[in-house]
Coordinates of all heavy atoms in Angstrom, one line a residue:
I1 N -13.7 6.1 -5.6 CA -14.5 7.1 -6.3 C -14.5 6.8 -7.8 O -15.5 7.0 -8.5 CB -14.0 8.5 -5.9 CG1 -14.3 8.8 -4.4 CG2 -14.5 9.6 -6.8 CD1 -13.8 10.1 -3.9
V2 N -13.3 6.7 -8.3 CA -13.1 6.5 -9.7 C -14.0 5.5 -10.4 O -14.7 5.4 -11.2 CB -11.8 6.4 -10.3 CG1 -11.6 6.0 -11.6 CG2 -10.9 7.6 -10.0
S3 N -13.9 4.2 -9.5 CA -14.7 3.1 -9.9 C -16.3 3.4 -9.8 O -17.0 2.9 -10.7 CB -14.4 1.9 -9.1 OG -12.9 1.6 -9.2
A4 N -16.6 4.1 -8.8 CA -18.1 4.3 -8.6 C -18.6 5.3 -9.7 O -19.7 5.0 -10.2 CB -18.3 5.0 -7.3
L5 N -17.8 6.3 -10.1 CA -18.3 7.1 -11.2 C -18.3 6.3 -12.5 O -19.3 6.6 -13.3 CB -17.3 8.3 -11.4 CG -17.3 9.3 -10.2 CD1 -16.2 10.4 -10.3 CD2 -18.7 9.9 -10.0
K6 N -17.4 5.4 -12.8 CA -17.4 4.7 -13.9 C -18.6 3.7 -14.0 O -19.2 3.5 -15.1 CB -16.1 3.9 -14.2 CG -15.0 4.8 -14.5 CD -13.8 3.9 -14.8 CE -12.5 4.8 -15.3 NZ -11.3 4.0 -15.5
T7 N -19.0 3.1 -12.9 CA -20.1 2.2 -12.8 C -21.5 2.8 -12.7 O -22.4 2.4 -13.5 CB -19.8 1.3 -11.6 OG1 -18.6 0.7 -11.7 CG2 -20.9 0.2 -11.5
H8 N -21.6 3.9 -11.9 CA -22.9 4.3 -11.6 C -23.3 5.8 -12.2 O -24.4 6.2 -12.0 CB -23.1 4.6 -10.1 CG -23.0 3.3 -9.3 ND1 -23.9 2.2 -9.3 CD2 -21.9 2.7 -8.6 CE1 -23.4 1.3 -8.6 NE2 -22.3 1.4 -8.2
Y9 N -22.3 6.2 -12.9 CA -22.6 7.7 -13.5 C -22.3 7.6 -14.8 O -21.2 7.4 -15.4 CB -21.7 8.7 -12.7 CG -22.0 10.1 -13.2 CD1 -23.3 10.7 -13.1 CD2 -20.9 11.0 -13.6 CE1 -23.4 12.0 -13.5 CE2 -21.2 12.3 -13.9 CZ -22.4 12.8 -14.0 OH -22.7 14.1 -14.4
N10 N -23.3 7.9 -15.7 CA -23.2 7.9 -17.2 C -22.7 9.2 -17.7 O -23.5 9.9 -18.4 CB -24.6 7.5 -17.7 CG -24.3 7.2 -19.4 OD1 -23.3 6.9 -19.8 ND2 -25.5 7.3 -20.0
N11 N -21.5 9.5 -17.5 CA -20.8 10.7 -18.1 C -19.2 10.4 -18.1 O -18.6 10.4 -17.2 CB -21.0 11.8 -17.2 CG -20.6 13.2 -17.9 OD1 -20.0 13.2 -18.9 ND2 -21.0 14.3 -17.2
P12 N -18.8 10.0 -19.3 CA -17.5 9.5 -19.5 C -16.3 10.5 -19.2 O -16.5 11.7 -19.3 CB -17.5 9.0 -20.9 CG -18.5 9.9 -21.6 CD -19.6 10.1 -20.7
F13 N -15.3 10.0 -18.7 CA -14.1 10.8 -18.6 C -12.9 9.8 -18.8 O -12.9 8.6 -18.5 CB -14.0 11.5 -17.1 CG -14.0 10.4 -16.0 CD1 -12.9 9.9 -15.4 CD2 -15.2 10.0 -15.4 CE1 -12.9 9.0 -14.4 CE2 -15.2 9.2 -14.4 CZ -14.0 8.6 -13.8
D14 N -11.8 10.4 -19.1 CA -10.6 9.7 -19.3 C -9.7 9.7 -18.1 O -9.2 10.8 -17.7 CB -9.7 10.2 -20.6 CG -8.6 9.4 -21.0 OD1 -8.1 8.6 -20.1 OD2 -8.0 9.6 -22.1
E15 N -9.6 8.6 -17.4 CA -8.8 8.6 -16.2 C -7.4 9.1 -16.3 O -6.9 9.8 -15.4 CB -8.9 7.1 -15.5 CG -8.2 7.1 -14.2 CD -8.4 5.7 -13.4 OE1 -9.1 4.9 -14.1 OE2 -7.9 5.5 -12.4
A16 N -6.8 8.6 -17.4 CA -5.4 9.1 -17.5 C -5.3 10.6 -17.9 O -4.3 11.2 -17.4 CB -4.8 8.4 -18.8
K17 N -6.2 11.1 -18.5 CA -6.1 12.6 -19.0 C -7.1 13.5 -18.2 O -6.7 14.7 -18.0 CB -6.3 12.7 -20.4 CG -5.3 12.0 -21.3 CD -5.7 12.3 -22.8 CE -4.7 11.5 -23.8 NZ -5.0 11.7 -25.1
G18 N -8.1 13.0 -17.7 CA -9.2 13.8 -17.1 C -9.2 13.8 -15.6 O -10.1 14.3 -15.0
V19 N -8.3 13.1 -14.9 CA -8.3 13.0 -13.4 C -7.0 13.5 -12.8 O -6.0 12.9 -13.2 CB -8.6 11.7 -13.0 CG1 -8.7 11.5 -11.5 CG2 -10.0 11.1 -13.5
K20 N -7.0 14.6 -12.0 CA -5.8 15.0 -11.4 C -6.1 14.7 -10.0 O -7.1 15.0 -9.4 CB -5.6 16.5 -11.7 CG -5.4 16.8 -13.0 CD -5.3 18.4 -13.2 CE -5.0 18.7 -14.7 NZ -4.9 20.1 -14.9
V21 N -5.1 14.2 -9.2 CA -5.1 13.7 -7.9 C -4.1 14.4 -6.9 O -2.9 14.3 -7.3 CB -5.1 12.3 -7.7 CG1 -5.4 11.8 -6.3 CG2 -6.1 11.6 -8.7
D22 N -4.6 14.9 -5.9 CA -3.7 15.3 -4.8 C -4.0 14.5 -3.5 O -5.1 14.4 -2.9 CB -3.9 16.8 -4.4 CG -3.3 17.8 -5.3 OD1 -2.3 17.4 -5.9 OD2 -3.8 18.8 -5.5
V23 N -2.9 13.8 -3.1 CA -3.0 12.9 -1.8 C -1.9 13.3 -0.9 O -0.8 13.4 -1.1 CB -2.7 11.4 -2.2 CG1 -2.7 10.5 -1.0 CG2 -3.8 11.0 -3.3
V24 N -2.5 13.8 0.3 CA -1.5 14.2 1.4 C -1.9 13.5 2.6 O -3.1 13.6 3.1 CB -1.6 15.7 1.6 CG1 -0.8 16.2 2.7 CG2 -1.2 16.5 0.4
G25 N -0.9 12.8 3.2 CA -1.0 12.0 4.5 C -1.2 13.0 5.7 O -0.8 14.1 5.5
P26 N -1.8 12.5 6.8 CA -2.0 13.4 8.0 C -0.7 13.9 8.6 O -0.6 15.0 9.0 CB -2.8 12.4 8.8 CG -2.5 11.1 8.4 CD -2.4 11.2 6.9
T27 N 0.3 13.0 8.5 CA 1.7 13.4 9.1 C 2.4 14.6 8.2 O 2.7 15.6 8.9 CB 2.6 12.2 9.1 OG1 2.0 11.2 9.9 CG2 3.9 12.6 9.7
V28 N 2.2 14.4 7.0 CA 2.8 15.4 6.0 C 2.0 16.7 6.3 O 2.6 17.9 6.3 CB 2.8 15.0 4.6 CG1 3.2 16.2 3.8 CG2 3.7 13.8 4.5
G29 N 0.7 16.7 6.3 CA -0.2 17.8 6.5 C 0.1 18.6 7.7 O 0.3 19.8 7.8
K30 N 0.3 17.8 8.8 CA 0.8 18.6 10.2 C 2.0 19.2 10.1 O 2.2 20.3 10.5 CB 0.7 17.5 11.3 CG 0.8 18.0 12.8 CD -0.4 18.9 13.0 CE -0.4 19.4 14.4 NZ -1.5 20.3 14.7
Q31 N 3.0 18.6 9.5 CA 4.3 19.1 9.2 C 4.3 20.4 8.4 O 4.9 21.4 8.8 CB 5.3 18.1 8.6 CG 5.7 16.9 9.4 CD 6.5 15.9 8.7 OE1 6.6 16.0 7.5 NE2 7.1 15.0 9.5
L32 N 3.4 20.4 7.4 CA 3.3 21.7 6.5 C 2.7 22.8 7.2 O 3.0 23.8 7.2 CB 2.4 21.3 5.3 CG 3.2 20.4 4.2 CD1 2.2 20.0 3.1 CD2 4.5 21.2 3.7
Q33 N 1.7 22.4 8.2 CA 1.0 23.4 9.1 C 2.1 24.1 9.9 O 2.2 25.3 10.0 CB 0.0 22.9 9.9 CG -1.3 22.4 9.3 CD -2.3 21.9 10.3 OE1 -2.6 22.7 11.4 NE2 -3.0 20.9 10.0

């Protein structure tokens, strides 16, 4: 997604400062449920 936005979308953002990411795997998600 980050690469696609940089390549095909002409609206700059700073990946280091302007991108916040939450990644949760399926096993962890089920445990939290």
Side-chain angles (χ1 to χ4, degrees):
I1 288 176
V2 170
S3 299
L5 291 177
K6 287 183 176 181
T7 304
H8 300 284
Y9 183 53
N10 187 24
N11 192 347
F13 60 90
D14 187 339
E15 185 176 353
K17 298 181 180 179
V19 179
K20 299 178 182 178
V21 183
D22 281 330
V23 179
V24 178
T27 302
V28 174
K30 190 64 176 178
Q31 290 176 348
L32 290 174
Q33 285 186 49

